[in-house]
Amino acid sequence: MSQDVLKKKPGPLGAWNAIPLWQKIMIGLVLGLIVGLVFGKSAGVIKPIGTAFISGIKMLIVPLVFVSLVTGVTSMRDPAKMGRVGIKTIGLYLLTTAAAITIGLVLGTVMAPGAGVSMEAAKAVAPKAPPSLVSTLVGLIPTNPIAAMSNGNVLQVIVFAILFGLAINMSGKAGEKVRDAFESLAEVIYKLTGIVIWFAPFGVFALMAWTAGTYGLDLLLPLAMVILAVYLGCVLHAFLVYGGALWAAGINPLRFFKGIAEAAAVAFTTTSSSGTLPVTMSCAQKNIGVSQGVSGFVLPLGATINMDGTALYQGVCALFVAQVFGVQLSPGDYVTIILTATLASIGTAGVPGAGLIMLSLVLSSVGLPLEGVAIIAGIDRVLDMARTSLNVIGDGMVATLVAKSEGELDMAVFNSGRDAVGELEA
Ligand code: ASP
């Protein structure tokens, strides 16, 4: 049944379908917040609805990344173009991440969130030893691509998909049939994505009610300044850095933010940028007009390595811990924090709470006490919501800029301001 038919239908379902998806998601978010605050921990009974939604989008990740990346590579037949897109993507990811951590450090200094916080009851958390760079790079090559897919190892799937796509391009006539098959498969997977995303407002509602019910105000108030600093930093970074970059490239930032809103809201409630990837890809292609090739290449990479929100959070938290424990940081320490937080954010998996584990790496790089991680742990989910949203918006921003620079941003789609993610029919 098409969306148009549903829209014309009188009755509650017709009225519901007539509301744009991003508005329905916002309704879910606000209602969930209210239900969580009113019912407290018992609001957790509806969490399974949220878990079902998360499972649904996770189900899409491996097939979506593989198929869309293969079609991304086959649509960019020119290897020079692929190299160019790759360099631009990684360059923009690194630049925006460094800007994010700088904003985090400035806010951590100006707002001094750790002043007056007592550190009682904090238990030390053992740091996780980071893997070496060489083993990380070698580990990118899957010894068994099917195992990489079944384990959900997105980076390995990315490597296999790029090589597979290149091989299709090099296979002449035989490759053409495979390319056509992948293009059809991509359409089917995008349709499946649309079906799962239809449930987003309900999933968002349930997850928000559970989060608000679990983290009541009593838990949040003592650390209100850290929360404020991270949220304010995310908003500033989105509007100043992303808004500024888009504006400089001649792209209307407000239209971009509206186009990415559904992905940001899903990231906010699921706290997983990898999990949000299917929604981010739909927003980029259907609302913003980024080509399939560019979004298939830039976004899966971003969901695993580009984490501006995580970097910003690590900047704020490092200063918070320094203030709580009265440690004086030198200018050299600040540089070390910028470097390690950038690397840590690249190494952070796009899953809930991963940034907290990497925080121990940043703290130990400048000799800050790891007990700090335990203080943050109590409220980490709330910080994770903001940073994951920023992570996802950042991926979308880079995809938009790269697409624009390659002449692959469909301005007719972008300017239409349509909310096409919510439409089930093509
Ligand atoms: N949850 C974040 C993400 O998925 C990672 C983090 O914990 O910072 O993007």
Side-chain angles (χ1 to χ4, degrees):
M1 195 171 0
S2 90
Q3 195 80 352
D4 285 343
V5 173
L6 287 173
K7 268 184 196 161
K8 282 178 208 124
K9 243 181 137 181
L13 189 62
W16 174 250
N17 280 308
I19 305 171
L21 182 71
W22 71 272
Q23 288 180 14
K24 287 188 278 199
I25 292 182
M26 293 304 156
I27 294 173
L29 208 108
V30 174
L31 284 183
L33 182 68
I34 297 171
V35 168
L37 290 178
V38 170
F39 292 96
K41 285 204 167 30
S42 44
V45 292
I46 54 171
K47 192 183 171 205
I49 300 174
T51 311
F53 170 62
I54 294 181
S55 304
I57 43 179
K58 278 192 180 158
M59 167 184 89
L60 300 166
I61 296 173
V62 168
L64 186 68
V65 168
F66 183 61
V67 172
S68 60
L69 203 48
V70 170
T71 45
V73 173
T74 54
S75 71
M76 277 192 263
R77 264 164 251 189
D78 173 9
K81 176 167 180 174
M82 259 190 67
R84 216 172 44 230
V85 167
I87 290 170
K88 279 187 211 168
T89 305
I90 305 235
L92 282 169
Y93 280 160
L94 286 177
L95 270 181
T96 49
T97 303
I101 158 117
T102 309
I103 292 182
L105 287 175
V106 170
L107 285 178
T109 309
V110 175
M111 294 175 69
V117 174
S118 90
M119 40 143 295
E120 280 169 81
K123 283 199 210 85
V125 175
K128 208 177 147 234
S132 78
L133 187 64
V134 175
S135 68
T136 307
L137 290 179
V138 173
L140 289 179
I141 303 166
T143 48
N144 177 348
I146 306 296
M149 289 182 190
S150 76
N151 295 330
N153 186 328
V154 176
L155 280 179
Q156 289 188 344
V157 175
I158 289 176
V159 170
F160 182 65
I162 292 177
L163 293 175
F164 195 82
L166 286 174
I168 293 176
N169 289 347
M170 292 159 75
S171 301
K173 223 168 160 41
E176 273 167 30
K177 286 188 198 130
V178 185
R179 177 171 42 236
D180 290 348
F182 265 87
E183 273 166 17
S184 304
L185 202 54
E187 285 306 317
V188 175
I189 300 227
Y190 291 137
K191 190 66 60 192
L192 184 58
T193 309
I195 296 172
V196 175
I197 292 177
W198 192 87
F199 291 95
F202 307 102
V204 163
F205 166 73
L207 289 169
M208 194 63 211
W210 164 71
T211 313
T214 314
Y215 299 84
L217 287 181
D218 322 343
L219 203 67
L220 303 183
L221 277 183
L223 295 177
M225 276 311 259
V226 191
I227 300 174
L228 198 68
V230 170
Y231 273 68
L232 184 65
C234 289
V235 171
L236 285 178
H237 187 77
F239 284 98
L240 297 181
V241 178
Y242 301 159
L246 289 166
W247 179 77
I251 302 167
N252 181 338
L254 290 181
R255 226 167 236 158
F256 163 79
F257 287 124
K258 181 171 174 274
I260 202 82
E262 285 121 346
V266 170
F268 189 73
T269 43
T270 60
T271 68
S272 169
S273 38
S274 293
T276 309
L277 184 57
V279 189
T280 319
M281 292 188 68
S282 287
C283 286
Q285 289 174 14
K286 293 186 177 175
N287 291 352
I288 298 174
V290 177
S291 70
Q292 201 170 309
V294 169
S295 61
F297 188 81
V298 177
L299 293 172
L301 207 61
T304 38
I305 66 164
N306 181 50
M307 311 252 164
D308 293 359
T310 303
L312 187 145
Y313 146 91
Q314 283 167 343
V316 171
C317 289
L319 290 192
F320 166 79
V321 173
Q323 289 150 8
V324 170
F325 292 92
V327 179
Q328 202 65 39
L329 294 173
S330 69
D333 289 338
Y334 280 83
V335 176
T336 309
I337 293 176
I338 294 182
L339 290 178
T340 30
T342 304
L343 292 177
S345 74
I346 294 173
T348 306
V351 297
L356 181 73
I357 297 165
M358 295 311 252
L359 181 61
S360 60
L361 196 76
V362 177
L363 296 184
S364 50
S365 74
V366 288
L368 284 169
L370 293 171
E371 284 83 352
V373 175
I375 306 180
I376 302 286
I379 53 152
D380 195 60
R381 172 95 194 184
V382 177
L383 302 178
D384 206 356
M385 296 166 92
R387 64 182 191 252
T388 308
S389 292
L390 192 68
N391 291 345
V392 163
I393 298 173
D395 299 340
M397 197 284 296
V398 170
T400 308
L401 280 190
V402 171
K404 175 85 198 284
S405 73
E406 290 290 324
E408 296 207 17
L409 184 66
D410 186 338
M411 289 315 280
V413 172
F414 185 79
N415 287 327
S416 73
R418 250 178 75 205
D419 176 37
V421 169
E423 291 172 11
L424 284 182
E425 292 296 304

